Structure formats: structure tokens, C-alpha cells
Amino acid sequence: MIVKPDAVRKKNAVGDIIEQFEEKTAFRILAMKMLEISKHQAEQFLRRACQSSVFQYIDRLHVRAGRSWWLALEKENAIADLRKTHGAQPTPAQAEEGTIRKKWATNIEHNAISWLRRGKIRHASS
């Protein structure tokens, strides 16, 4: 999971997001690192992760707009629980109360987090 720069810049957002995943939904954090990566680094990482053309996702992920936290998470039913915790609706206005999207997203693109799964990129609005 990536806590994107738009959330990192907000006071208390990172701690709250991690707490929601770790304490409220019992995800295990396997690794965690803050990164500020270049466009080239993002392209290389996403190319390996997705094994396809991923240039369209770089700006969409907003990983070049500042520091981001990259976390490796684990649990049973991880994707379903991640979607529920983040909020399945595409905009903060439509999101359910108590979700990360409702609390920390600004709009559909600046939605606080994104994630990778099974070799494919998952934008949090997809």
C-alpha cells in the first residue's frame, strides 16, 4: 500500500491511516518505508510490479509530488478489507463515514492511498 503525498502532507493522516489498518482491521505491517522517488524510479518500480506499460499510473498515483509511505501489508481477505477500510466509492463525498477516503481524501485523484496486488497496480478509485 502507498500512503500518497497528499495524505502525508496532512497533519496526523499517516498515523491515523496506519492505525486503521493495523488496529481496526488487523493488517500486519511486514515492512514500511518513507520514499521520495523520481519519475525514473517510479517507472522502474511500477514496470517491475506490473510487468506492463504503467506510465499512465505515475501521475495518477501522485508518488512524485512529495514523500510517500510504502507499506507491505498482510492478512486474510486483504483486498476486500483494504477496499472496505479505504472506501469503495470513488469520491470523498460518496464515501462511507469512518473510511480513509471520507476522512483524508481531497478528491478522486488525491485519495490518500493506492496499492499493488498480484503484480498489478490498483488505484484506490478502481
Side-chain angles (χ1 to χ4, degrees):
M1 176 186 72
I2 305 164
V3 181
K4 298 190 308 189
D6 57 287
V8 172
R9 287 188 291 272
K10 294 178 181 177
K11 186 176 181 179
N12 300 320
V14 174
D16 183 68
I17 291 168
I18 291 170
E19 179 182 4
Q20 284 197 28
F21 282 105
E22 191 173 35
E23 294 181 18
K24 295 180 181 175
T25 57
F27 277 87
R28 289 176 296 288
I29 297 175
L30 304 176
M32 182 170 139
K33 185 172 187 172
M34 179 180 267
L35 298 173
E36 187 165 359
I37 61 176
S38 70
K39 181 177 181 178
H40 176 74
Q41 289 170 313
E43 289 169 353
Q44 295 303 309
F45 172 80
L46 294 171
R47 181 177 286 133
R48 283 192 306 271
C50 301
Q51 299 176 347
S52 66
S53 176
V54 297
F55 303 108
Q56 63 185 337
Y57 292 109
I58 293 167
D59 289 329
R60 210 170 155 198
L61 284 170
H62 304 281
V63 295
R64 292 188 316 116
R67 293 181 180 162
S68 54
W69 280 98
W70 295 60
L71 292 84
L73 302 173
E74 177 182 75
K75 80 172 288 198
E76 292 292 322
N77 301 312
I79 297 300
D81 287 350
L82 192 144
R83 284 181 178 269
K84 184 177 180 180
T85 303
H86 185 250
Q89 301 75 14
T91 67
Q94 297 171 321
E96 292 181 37
E97 289 296 327
T99 62
I100 291 169
R101 190 183 307 269
K102 184 70 167 186
K103 189 169 184 179
W104 297 111
T106 304
N107 56 44
I108 195 167
E109 291 294 320
H110 293 94
N111 58 10
I113 67 170
S114 286
W115 64 90
L116 299 170
R117 118 183 130 108
R118 296 181 193 215
K120 295 185 179 180
I121 189 99
R122 299 296 298 187
H123 187 265
S125 62
S126 57

